Amino acid sequence: MEIKSRIVIVSNRLPLILKKSEDGTIEVGKGAGGLVTAMAPVLKNRNGTWIGWPGFVQKEDIDDNMLQVIQSSASGYNVKPVMLNSDELKNYYEGFSNSILWPLFHDFTDKCIFLPEYWKSYQAINKKFALVVCRNTDDQDFIWVHDYQLILVGAQLRKMYKRNSIGFFLHIPFPPIDTFARCPWRFELLSAMLEYDILGFHTIQDKRNFIGCIKKIIQDVQIDKKAESNERVSELRLGNRKVRIGVFPISIDYNEFFLKAWDSKIYKRAKEMRSNASDTKILLGVDRLDYTKGIPEKLKAFQRFLTLFPKFHKKAHFIQIVAPSRREITAYADLKLKIEQLVGEINGIFGTNDWLPVQYMFRTLDRDELISLYRTCEIAFIAPLKDGMNLIAKEYCACNIDEKGVLILSEFAGAAQQFYQDAILVNPHDTEGMAKAIYRAFNMPLEEKNQRMRNLRENVKTKDVFWWLNSFLTAAIEKDLSNFPQADEYFPFKMV
Ligand code: ADQ
């Protein structure tokens, strides 16, 4: 089944990279990432539109001409910018989105700054987005809003009398009631979510948490018992309206990574990396700078591993790549210092003149560099304290074409719900356990590594980003919801 109507995507950022050169001309580049890759053909075929902030602050010298450039950029579909000034960005983006919703939804309530001015700005900017959507959609269009920065857009559209079918996908986890209830605007946020026709989450746990919050905070919603089991797509009833809620684990464009990993340039690069470290094994961490990603916890576990297993001195390397992100927020700047301190400490204690245990890079790598690392490193070490999905785990598996790699994965990443049988799952709060998991990964027999990696790759291949997109769009219109298979489910306490 297919949605035949035009699709309008609404996200905080447009999938474009704009650069202003010295002579004042604007260059437009295409944004990267799985969502863009998956959406681009759909938007092109259906004359669709993408609405979002273009990624720079509104200034007086940005005129209509520039907006024109953005709109007619080489993306092959319509692009409509929502311009924001620096005050708006500060309160709506850095404030409500990243100093309230991001920490709250990841269970870091001590980092939440519940300022009423942030809430005011969040409401105003969501309305601003909704106005651009309203002006650029017909009644038949399917409107698909993305992520925590724009939760209120659907409700704002309803206030503007838009009766379109509107969907929402949350890219981060949805917290349990005990956490969510701390938010002073809990009722308003949940009510707004119920204005959508379909809500998508990454995991069954997120869906259950959402239902738990609805039951406690909103009255007059009918919820089937089945909706709380592991039914993939369920329906809630509010009076004569129905809201669908479903589990759609996002993924990557498997073929893009897989084919790139076979590229001879990548192979050469991977081989060069190896020749510099031929008799050592490499543990790889790739993360955005964020306190949810568990980077200090990984460093401490590696330190413990070196203490417990001295035979690995000079035999093990830990390459940790950290992509700069949200540095204007204090918690992120503090985290960077903490990471640098730990790296210095480990290298200071264990390093010798011919062995640097931790190699730390604070930058965004280009795709080829990243894929070469995925191809060459024996172990991927991914240990977020909480993560919606974690695409790096999937990218690593797609690129591991010789199937000799091992994936160490936090049980608190959404990806663990799909990979629990073949990854080595760890609790990122358990330093000792993580150190032993590193040891286990380094010592895993080849046959076992092959089998596990083959299973992981098969999973990523069959459930790629196009599968994700189709599942969501099908669930938006499918009549018989029992056609959806049950959602994957893993609970840490079931571990033996
Ligand atoms: P993020 O928190 O940004 O996304 P993630 O899913 O890990 O996290 O994606 C990060 C992307 O950035 C990956 O494609 C990765 O290749 C790239 N990246 C990270 N560090 C890099 C570096 N140093 N150099 C180059 N590239 C780098 C949010 C949620 C996730 C959810 C996604 C998608 O927090 O849980 O999986 O959305 O829904």
Side-chain angles (χ1 to χ4, degrees):
M1 198 174 278
E2 259 193 286
I3 285 198
K4 297 268 184 261
S5 51
R6 218 169 64 123
I7 292 186
V8 176
I9 298 289
V10 192
S11 66
N12 175 58
R13 276 294 297 268
L14 278 176
L16 299 173
I17 299 162
L18 295 171
K19 271 195 212 138
K20 198 170 183 180
S21 61
E22 275 174 19
D23 66 359
T25 52
I26 308 295
E27 288 165 27
V28 187
K30 268 196 247 171
L35 184 62
V36 186
T37 315
M39 290 312 308
V42 184
L43 292 179
K44 274 185 206 162
N45 292 342
R46 314 243 182 107
N47 186 28
T49 300
W50 198 313
I51 294 170
W53 175 57
F56 58 85
V57 169
Q58 189 169 23
K59 292 194 189 115
E60 275 155 30
D61 63 340
I62 292 169
D63 53 18
D64 284 355
N65 201 3
M66 181 161 179
L67 293 184
Q68 203 57 40
V69 176
I70 299 167
Q71 288 176 13
S72 58
S73 69
S75 46
Y77 46 84
N78 306 309
V79 174
K80 298 285 172 196
V82 180
M83 301 307 290
L84 301 174
N85 65 36
S86 54
D87 278 349
E88 289 173 329
L89 267 177
K90 195 164 180 296
N91 290 317
Y92 141 80
Y93 183 69
E94 288 165 33
F96 200 82
S97 303
N98 288 331
S99 301
I100 296 181
L101 292 180
W102 178 271
L104 183 75
F105 282 29
H106 286 88
D107 227 346
F108 281 84
T109 42
D110 58 325
K111 290 197 165 32
C112 293
I113 307 167
F114 293 117
L115 290 182
E117 54 266 42
Y118 288 170
W119 170 239
K120 225 172 127 192
S121 175
Y122 186 76
Q123 289 172 286
I125 301 305
N126 273 245
K127 188 172 175 184
K128 195 169 185 176
F129 270 79
L131 274 169
V132 178
V133 176
C134 201
R135 277 193 222 110
N136 290 285
T137 43
D138 300 331
D139 292 350
Q140 302 309 312
D141 294 343
F142 178 72
I143 301 168
W144 190 2
V145 182
H146 286 264
D147 226 0
Y148 64 104
Q149 302 92 348
L150 300 176
I151 290 176
L152 307 181
V153 167
Q156 287 294 344
L157 286 167
R158 299 296 184 216
K159 280 192 190 151
M160 294 168 193
Y161 302 105
K162 288 299 261 186
R163 293 288 160 258
N164 301 51
S165 184
I166 314 179
F168 178 81
F169 188 81
L170 184 69
H171 289 258
I172 63 174
F174 196 88
I177 176 74
D178 292 359
T179 306
F180 186 75
R182 296 178 197 199
C183 180
W185 304 283
R186 59 200 178 190
F187 179 78
E188 290 84 344
L189 287 167
L190 276 190
S191 310
M193 287 182 86
L194 292 174
E195 292 290 337
Y196 289 99
D197 296 293
I198 176 160
L199 292 163
F201 301 97
H202 285 304
T203 69
I204 194 77
Q205 197 53 48
D206 298 327
K207 179 183 168 222
R208 276 199 200 118
N209 286 344
F210 177 74
I211 293 176
C213 290
I214 293 289
K215 279 169 84 172
K216 294 274 184 204
I217 297 172
I218 310 266
Q219 273 93 50
D220 306 327
V221 182
Q222 277 176 272
I223 304 167
D224 261 6
K225 276 258 171 311
K226 273 199 302 182
E228 291 175 78
S229 68
N230 57 349
E231 190 174 55
R232 189 181 284 275
V233 187
S234 314
E235 231 162 34
L236 310 180
R237 276 178 297 282
L238 305 98
N240 52 9
R241 278 196 63 235
K242 286 178 184 164
V243 180
R244 289 186 172 184
I245 49 174
V247 177
F248 311 102
I250 202 168
S251 192
I252 57 164
D253 181 357
Y254 173 86
N255 278 330
E256 186 205 334
F257 281 92
F258 167 74
L259 292 173
K260 261 272 161 98
W262 279 105
D263 189 300
S264 57
K265 263 199 333 232
I266 302 276
Y267 176 70
K268 209 170 139 226
R269 214 162 173 166
K271 239 180 137 184
E272 275 163 18
M273 284 179 192
R274 271 280 125 221
S275 66
N276 296 335
S278 52
D279 62 342
T280 59
K281 288 191 173 179
I282 311 176
L283 193 66
L284 174 70
V286 180
D287 302 275
R288 210 164 40 69
L289 179 71
D290 201 290
Y291 49 80
T292 61
K293 302 289 182 186
I295 305 167
E297 285 73 8
K298 288 198 285 184
L299 288 163
K300 284 178 198 156
F302 186 63
Q303 178 167 11
R304 188 72 189 132
F305 164 76
L306 294 178
T307 307
L308 287 177
F309 307 106
K311 74 169 188 182
F312 277 97
H313 290 191
K314 300 196 179 189
K315 297 276 174 239
H317 268 301
F318 180 18
I319 300 183
Q320 175 63 56
I321 320 278
V322 178
S325 158
R326 302 178 196 167
R327 271 185 292 170
E328 49 302 321
I329 300 173
T330 323
Y332 289 73
D334 293 348
L335 174 67
K336 183 170 177 279
L337 284 178
K338 191 172 175 184
I339 294 169
E340 286 165 357
Q341 212 175 358
L342 278 166
V343 171
E345 194 177 303
I346 300 170
N347 286 339
I349 296 173
F350 297 98
T352 59
N353 52 7
D354 57 350
W355 175 54
L356 191 68
V358 184
Q359 198 183 328
Y360 164 68
M361 286 178 243
F362 183 64
R363 62 187 168 91
T364 302
L365 300 187
D366 67 40
R367 264 293 153 94
D368 287 5
E369 245 179 314
L370 196 60
I371 294 177
S372 308
L373 278 170
Y374 288 151
R375 241 204 101 161
T376 196
C377 295
E378 280 82 3
I379 302 166
F381 191 18
I382 298 167
L385 305 175
K386 190 84 194 136
D387 213 338
M389 176 53 58
N390 196 292
L391 295 179
I392 288 146
K394 296 190 173 184
E395 293 169 2
Y396 177 75
C397 296
C399 295
N400 206 266
I401 50 179
D402 57 9
E403 299 181 338
K404 289 182 189 157
V406 180
L407 176 64
I408 301 181
L409 180 64
S410 161
E411 54 194 17
F412 305 118
Q417 298 287 324
Q418 293 175 281
F419 292 167
Y420 61 93
Q421 284 173 325
D422 296 296
I424 297 185
L425 288 195
V426 289
N427 172 359
H429 301 279
D430 175 9
T431 310
E432 199 78 5
M434 287 217 286
K436 288 180 183 156
I438 297 172
Y439 179 81
R440 188 175 159 209
F442 274 138
N443 286 296
M444 189 179 280
L446 181 62
E447 209 176 308
E448 185 181 347
K449 286 199 273 195
N450 286 160
Q451 188 56 53
R452 284 171 180 259
M453 189 45 75
R454 200 168 306 136
N455 295 344
L456 289 167
R457 286 163 54 73
E458 190 55 30
N459 196 322
V460 185
K461 186 179 169 185
T462 47
K463 293 182 177 166
D464 66 0
V465 72
F466 302 102
W467 169 87
W468 168 79
L469 176 83
N470 280 332
S471 319
F472 185 90
L473 294 180
T474 306
I477 53 165
E478 176 74 65
K479 288 210 167 57
D480 183 2
L481 294 181
S482 64
N483 284 340
F484 284 88
Q486 292 196 325
D488 296 313
E489 183 172 27
Y490 161 77
F491 284 114
F493 51 77
K494 277 195 189 155
M495 261 176 102
V496 273

